[in-house]
Amino acid sequence: DLLGQARALLTYAGEVEGAGRDEDALAYRRDEREFVNLQLVELPNGDFGVTTARQLVFACYQYELYDRLRESSDPTLAAIAGKAVKEVAYHRDHVTQWVLRLGDGTDESHRRMQAGLEEVWPYVEEIFEPDELTASLATEGVAVDPAVLRGSWAAYVEPLISKATLSVPEPGFHGRGGRKGIHTEAMGFLLAEMQHL
């Protein structure tokens, strides 16, 4: 699902850019600083608790984003979002079941799920910070200001964490800069593997 969404978005980005780059050129033939993404998606899979926590945070964000993008003034983005929101709803439901199962399971599964949340939570704040381009496109009705997604995201995520007998972490730092091309150490390794293949 995510690859299909990425392909559709990258193909459209290449068309809008008008420089002759296709989805492969945009995905595989850019330097690290040319990628403007959330640092959250760069984190290594690691423990299943970490992977599950990252999936929870990201799937719930994507659901809110695509749900709002269905109203985009750009018909292509609205169509991509219309299909994607259905796919992401499944991802959100799937990860919800895992969070509940792990959080309210054994002592070990609870510990690992809480540790996963602790590792991922420093990257949550960046999700809701707008950048100049997104803010401009949101004003035109093309994009969504990520700050407006926080309330509905939290209304789903925080009660779920509580129901799973887990706690919302209080991070000691906040990852920032991914949308400006500033990445975690993991990004270089991801690109090296992706671009090598």
Side-chain angles (χ1 to χ4, degrees):
D1 291 338
L2 295 177
L3 287 174
Q5 293 160 21
R7 291 186 69 191
L9 291 167
L10 287 169
T11 296
Y12 187 49
E15 291 169 11
V16 170
E17 179 188 48
R21 294 196 293 179
D22 63 6
E23 67 183 81
D24 286 339
L26 290 170
Y28 302 114
R29 297 185 193 105
R30 287 188 284 164
D31 291 330
E32 185 174 326
R33 293 298 296 258
E34 291 179 275
F35 284 85
V36 288
N37 55 269
L38 299 172
Q39 290 181 349
L40 173 72
V41 301
E42 302 170 10
L43 299 179
N45 283 333
D47 185 82
F48 189 65
V50 174
T51 300
T52 303
R54 182 183 60 205
Q55 181 67 19
L56 170 69
V57 169
F58 191 66
C60 291
Y61 157 70
Q62 275 195 311
Y63 179 84
E64 299 301 331
L65 175 65
Y66 286 137
D67 188 45
R68 297 279 181 106
L69 274 176
R70 290 186 300 167
E71 315 258 328
S72 173
S73 61
D74 182 309
T76 302
L77 277 181
I80 292 169
K83 182 176 187 283
V85 75
K86 295 172 191 168
E87 297 166 346
V88 173
Y90 171 78
H91 298 178
R92 186 176 75 161
D93 290 344
H94 181 77
V95 76
T96 293
Q97 295 309 311
W98 272 111
V99 171
L100 291 170
R101 189 174 298 127
L102 295 172
D104 200 22
T106 67
D107 289 345
E108 179 66 8
S109 71
H110 177 89
R111 182 191 68 74
R112 291 169 77 164
M113 189 65 234
Q114 185 64 49
L117 290 172
E118 301 285 343
E119 189 165 328
V120 164
W121 219 257
Y123 300 94
V124 167
E125 199 62 35
E126 181 186 30
I127 295 170
F128 305 106
E129 293 178 349
D131 59 90
E132 261 183 61
L133 178 60
T134 305
S136 171
L137 291 172
T139 302
E140 297 171 17
V142 174
V144 177
D145 178 350
V148 304
L149 305 175
R150 179 183 271 291
S152 52
W153 178 89
Y156 186 90
V157 171
E158 291 176 7
L160 170 61
I161 289 173
S162 178
K163 186 176 179 182
T165 70
L166 300 162
S167 303
V168 174
E170 296 285 337
F173 76 96
H174 293 291
R176 287 191 161 72
R179 287 187 175 125
K180 294 179 182 170
I182 300 168
H183 300 286
T184 66
E185 180 182 0
M187 182 65 160
F189 295 109
L190 284 171
L191 287 180
E193 185 175 343
M194 232 173 49
Q195 292 173 339
H196 170 73
L197 294 174

